[in-house]
Amino acid sequence: MLIRSWDRGEPAEWRQWLAGRDFGVLAANGTGGSGPVLVPTHFVLDADRGEIVLHLGKPNPLFAAIEADPQVTLAVTDDYAFVPGYWRPSQVPTSYYASVQFDCLAEPVDDAAGKAAILNQQLAHFQPETPQVRVVPGAEPYGPQLSGIRALRLTVRQVRAKFKYDDKVPAEQQAAMAERLAERAGPGDAGARAQLLRRNAQRGGCPLGPP
């Protein structure tokens, strides 16, 4: 992912953006000359520890890929919108989007206790309203099903964050794009507008209203 100096996301920025996002695409190098393996998946991020955990079905081809090469990338992309050329003084169309990519070292977790711990971490994150529901190896209803999954622990080595919202153009032009998005109100436009206004405000620009 190409990141220009004006598009770069700082740690506090991408952490806040990811606070409500926990679904991405995990990519590993394919084996035998095949293309990359891409897996859409939920995950739990511990940014302070630099660790991501998740689980997948045991037959998932990702496991063969990471056994050959444990270097993986988890990408989360959202708040995207197409910007037509006639909106912009340059007449050049562009895309707005936010994307955070984690380059990681993947470690499969296969022992029952380790898998249960990761599943319970995910349950605490995704299903906090049922704290009584937990996975115990060997105990019904989930313990006997542990043999059908493998868990993954990803150690984060590098984070790349990009917020592509016309930060290179004059602040007034950037703010004007927010109004264009509000008028169009298409799928994704509200999220892209919120990010554009936030970035514009960081520049001391001309936000024209609430996101």
Side-chain angles (χ1 to χ4, degrees):
M1 178 170 65
L2 174 65
I3 302 177
R4 305 286 193 182
S5 59
W6 54 85
D7 292 332
R8 184 171 293 110
E10 299 301 325
E13 183 177 21
W14 64 254
R15 284 187 182 212
Q16 182 178 15
W17 183 76
L18 276 176
R21 293 173 172 83
D22 42 33
F23 190 87
V25 175
L26 183 60
N29 293 319
T31 59
S34 64
V37 180
L38 303 175
V39 179
T41 182
H42 278 102
F43 64 89
V44 175
L45 166 69
D46 187 331
D48 293 331
R49 294 182 61 184
E51 182 176 277
I52 297 166
V53 295
L54 58 115
H55 75 279
L56 301 169
K58 186 172 284 187
N60 198 295
L62 183 87
F63 291 111
I66 64 174
E67 284 165 8
D69 183 352
Q71 298 180 83
V72 299
T73 298
L74 177 69
V76 182
T77 302
D78 201 356
D79 293 334
Y80 54 85
F82 176 76
V83 180
Y86 59 86
W87 284 12
R88 307 173 78 225
S90 67
Q91 300 298 305
V92 178
T94 191
S95 299
Y96 289 158
Y97 62 87
S99 188
V100 181
Q101 298 183 1
F102 298 93
D103 293 334
C104 307
L105 189 67
E107 174 193 357
V109 177
D110 287 314
D111 64 286
K115 290 191 285 188
I118 286 176
L119 286 172
N120 286 328
Q121 189 175 344
Q122 291 189 278
L123 282 170
H125 174 79
F126 290 106
Q127 202 171 306
E129 69 277 13
T130 57
Q132 74 280 8
V133 177
R134 289 296 178 264
V135 179
V136 178
E140 295 285 351
Y142 304 112
Q145 301 179 52
L146 287 174
S147 60
I149 68 165
R150 300 182 75 185
L152 276 174
R153 180 176 289 107
L154 310 181
T155 300
V156 179
R157 292 183 161 183
Q158 181 183 23
V159 182
R160 290 169 285 135
K162 180 173 183 175
F163 292 84
K164 185 174 182 287
Y165 294 101
D166 256 341
D167 285 78
K168 187 181 180 182
V169 305
E172 293 78 8
Q173 292 181 21
Q174 184 186 38
M177 292 301 100
E179 296 312 293
R180 290 281 201 170
L181 291 170
E183 291 167 4
R184 186 173 67 181
D189 286 348
R193 181 173 186 265
Q195 296 305 319
L196 191 154
L197 286 173
R198 182 185 59 77
R199 296 280 291 193
N200 183 261
Q202 287 179 182
R203 301 173 65 189
C206 307
L208 303 181

